[in-house]
Amino acid sequence: MTPTTSKRFASLNIAAKQLKNLGDLGYETMTPIQAQSLPVILSGKDVIAQAKTGSGKTAAFGIGLLEKVDSTKPDVQAMVLCPTRELADQVGRELRSLARAVDNTKLVSLCGGKPFGPQKATLQYGAHIVVGTPGRLLDHLQRGTLHLGKLQTLVFDEADRMLDMGFAEPIKDIMRFVPRKRQTLLFSATYPAEIQAIGTAFLKNPSMVSVDAEHSGEAIEQLFYEVNHHERNKTLLALFCHYKLNAALVFCQTKVDCDQVAAMLQQNHIHALAIHGDLDQRERDRVLLQFANSSCAVLVATDVAARGLDMKSLPAVINYELPRDAQTYIHRIGRTGRAGASGLALSIVTQSEQARLRNIEKYLNEPCVCDVYASLDQDPGYAVRAPMVTVEINAGRKQKFRPGDILGGLTGMGGLPASAIGKIDILDMNSFVAIEKRAVKSTLEFLSEGKIKGRSVKARQI
């Protein structure tokens, strides 16, 4: 498909208020996926877009669906299906920012892992946009608490992972509640036969859009280490030492391996946390939050659990085991080397994984650079420690807290330098702030005695 002649948002046929909002948000030039898909989306056609996390796809479908929303009507007019709560939360945040241009737009998040009752109560007051996971959305539809009779835009976000997670049947059931006259947008990082089948079943003459990821292969140095199976752990430790890594995302195939590898790294002075499907939602949220705000140095994850994680500057990805297919490998390593930065992709390869290595070579159309364990520098005392610590405060959006309130309190009466304060996340009933380790004690002392926004709070290190 031919991209637009102009890559500026001003070239699109969108409302003036949205253009101003985009400028206020810092959106000026479209990413490749936005430039190619937005004109088609705005024309009302169905679209299948192959785009990876970090490509700007949320803004692409968000700008498109918001052009149709009539906030004077209380009906659900757009619905976005996401594979995980983390991704749904991320999509919801971005859509809320984009929706500032449409007065009184109400967005509701419907995800598993949260109580059903409050969601039901919220829906009774009406919603224009719904973002959620397939299981919980279907639950609301079957109980009659969610109605889609006026739906105009349906979005499948990261459709390939929804299928990987076993959501094929729930999706089919959801489609029984969706009106036939609608626009359907399907975004997927890969395009296997199962996605083609969904496109045939649920989309009408869709336009196909495919762009390269924001990162380029040249920005990522890819190295493979061929070792015996029993050498994997010591090879992983040696990779951290040899490349002097201070942060990394380590991929494992199974939940058991994630736990074992994270524990092994901890025992060897490398600050690591595991994330996989066996963690409850609260634990998953906190692990992702700590990794995103630099209070966890290494995240050990399965492919599904890492979905929705969007790190802007991740120095390295390590494959403790090679994935079963080459497209998953490309998707894994694409989390490093973004936005013009260089990245490092390191893979441990055992004899039983040689066929997977050949498949990757075939996909890349070039030989993989292989080395051996003996070539790596080794230092049993090498340590990787997170530079920040996360402090939880027992107040959030419901108490009208904003990031500026916490920053102002800690740098004002708290006396902390702004440089000691990192990422601040505000949730409904609590907030999380990343603090440099040297300043944690004084932060907790201030929060136990002082006030934020005139309110006494309780705080603890997590």
Side-chain angles (χ1 to χ4, degrees):
M1 178 166 184
T2 305
T4 55
T5 54
S6 172
K7 288 190 176 182
R8 297 187 67 81
F9 284 99
S11 68
L12 298 171
N13 184 26
I14 57 178
K17 287 182 70 175
Q18 183 63 281
L19 278 176
K20 182 181 184 305
N21 182 44
L22 290 171
D24 293 342
L25 292 170
Y27 291 84
E28 291 185 3
T29 304
M30 290 184 276
T31 65
I33 189 62
Q34 292 163 358
Q36 291 202 31
S37 66
L38 259 169
V40 190
I41 292 171
L42 291 168
S43 75
K45 294 180 181 178
D46 286 5
V47 172
I48 295 177
Q50 189 172 348
K52 293 176 171 57
T53 300
S55 61
K57 57 187 172 61
T58 304
F61 64 72
I63 292 169
L65 69 85
L66 282 165
E67 282 297 303
K68 294 182 177 182
V69 168
D70 182 350
S71 59
T72 64
K73 298 178 180 178
D75 309 297
V76 174
Q77 297 162 49
M79 182 168 74
V80 183
L81 278 72
C82 301
T84 65
R85 177 181 159 188
E86 292 83 16
L87 182 61
D89 288 344
Q90 182 179 315
V91 168
R93 285 194 297 271
E94 189 162 351
L95 289 182
R96 284 189 176 94
S97 296
L98 294 169
R100 294 189 314 199
V102 185
D103 294 337
N104 303 314
T105 302
K106 186 175 181 182
L107 184 149
V108 174
S109 179
L110 302 176
C111 299
K114 289 189 174 181
F116 186 90
Q119 294 178 354
K120 175 183 176 181
T122 300
L123 287 170
Q124 289 176 342
Y125 291 98
H128 304 110
I129 303 169
V130 167
V131 181
T133 48
R136 181 53 62 90
L137 287 170
L138 180 59
D139 199 5
H140 278 283
L141 289 167
Q142 290 175 333
R143 296 193 193 192
T145 52
L146 174 63
H147 304 280
L148 301 178
K150 302 294 184 180
L151 189 76
Q152 299 182 83
T153 310
L154 174 65
V155 181
F156 296 97
D157 193 13
E158 300 206 0
D160 51 350
R161 285 303 164 188
M162 280 194 274
L163 297 183
D164 288 346
M165 296 171 69
F167 286 131
E169 287 304 315
I171 287 172
K172 290 178 183 176
D173 291 337
I174 286 171
M175 296 306 292
R176 297 192 182 102
F177 295 87
V178 176
R180 289 191 175 186
K181 189 178 180 181
R182 65 178 189 274
Q183 181 182 29
T184 306
L185 311 174
L186 187 152
F187 289 78
S188 182
T190 59
Y191 192 58
E194 294 84 356
I195 294 297
Q196 297 176 42
I198 284 185
T200 301
F202 302 140
L203 282 76
K204 297 175 183 177
N205 301 317
S207 295
M208 302 293 298
V209 176
S210 181
V211 299
D212 294 329
E214 279 196 341
H215 63 273
S216 65
E218 291 75 18
I220 304 172
E221 183 179 7
Q222 302 176 56
L223 297 168
F224 299 78
Y225 288 84
E226 297 181 301
V227 303
N228 294 317
H229 190 273
H230 69 275
E231 295 177 315
R232 285 194 303 176
N233 283 355
K234 66 179 184 180
T235 302
L236 180 59
L237 293 172
L239 289 173
F240 279 96
C241 173
H242 184 87
Y243 291 100
K244 300 295 186 268
L245 301 177
N246 57 11
L249 176 57
V250 178
F251 279 103
C252 294
Q253 293 288 90
T254 69
K255 303 168 187 177
V256 172
D257 281 340
C258 279
D259 284 334
Q260 291 178 346
V261 169
M264 183 275 295
L265 291 172
Q266 289 276 27
Q267 291 165 6
N268 287 275
H269 314 295
I270 295 175
H271 185 196
L273 293 174
I275 183 167
H276 50 68
D278 280 356
L279 299 183
D280 65 33
Q281 195 62 52
R282 183 171 175 271
E283 292 172 318
R284 286 162 58 86
D285 289 346
R286 295 198 172 198
V287 169
L288 285 174
L289 184 144
Q290 288 178 81
F291 187 59
N293 72 11
S294 300
S295 56
C296 164
V298 179
L299 185 66
V300 185
T302 57
D303 289 297
V304 170
R307 288 301 265 221
L309 177 67
D310 188 15
M311 294 292 291
K312 289 181 172 59
S313 57
L314 183 63
V317 168
I318 303 176
N319 293 300
Y320 182 75
E321 303 159 90
L322 285 184
R324 292 185 176 85
D325 62 272
Q327 281 197 334
T328 300
Y329 168 79
I330 296 298
H331 192 64
R332 283 183 180 183
I333 71 169
R335 296 175 181 277
T336 186
R338 288 185 173 178
S342 60
L344 191 59
L346 306 169
S347 300
I348 299 171
V349 186
T350 63
Q351 189 60 41
S352 64
E353 296 172 321
Q354 289 298 314
R356 299 179 187 182
L357 182 62
R358 302 286 86 83
N359 286 336
I360 292 170
E361 289 181 324
K362 184 177 179 181
Y363 190 88
L364 295 174
N365 197 30
E366 62 183 39
C368 294
V369 179
C370 295
D371 211 328
V372 294
Y373 167 72
S375 69
L376 295 169
D377 295 333
Q378 298 162 52
D379 178 2
Y382 186 74
V384 180
R385 296 183 176 88
M388 312 295 280
V389 170
T390 298
V391 171
E392 179 182 7
I393 300 171
N394 70 334
R397 277 192 292 264
K398 297 290 187 182
Q399 291 74 37
K400 309 297 184 185
F401 268 41
R402 298 172 300 176
D405 299 323
I406 295 175
L407 180 64
L410 293 177
T411 56
M413 295 297 292
L416 267 68
S419 59
I421 303 168
K423 192 170 183 286
I424 299 173
D425 293 276
I426 309 291
L427 279 62
D428 283 346
M429 299 301 296
N430 51 2
S431 302
F432 299 89
V433 54
I435 303 291
E436 285 187 355
K437 287 185 175 180
R438 60 184 175 83
V440 171
K441 184 178 179 182
S442 59
T443 298
L444 292 173
E445 288 175 350
F446 163 70
L447 291 173
S448 68
E449 302 289 342
K451 294 182 178 181
I452 299 288
K453 204 177 181 181
R455 175 192 175 95
S456 296
V457 296
K458 293 183 180 179
R460 68 185 186 96
Q461 177 182 332
I462 66 168

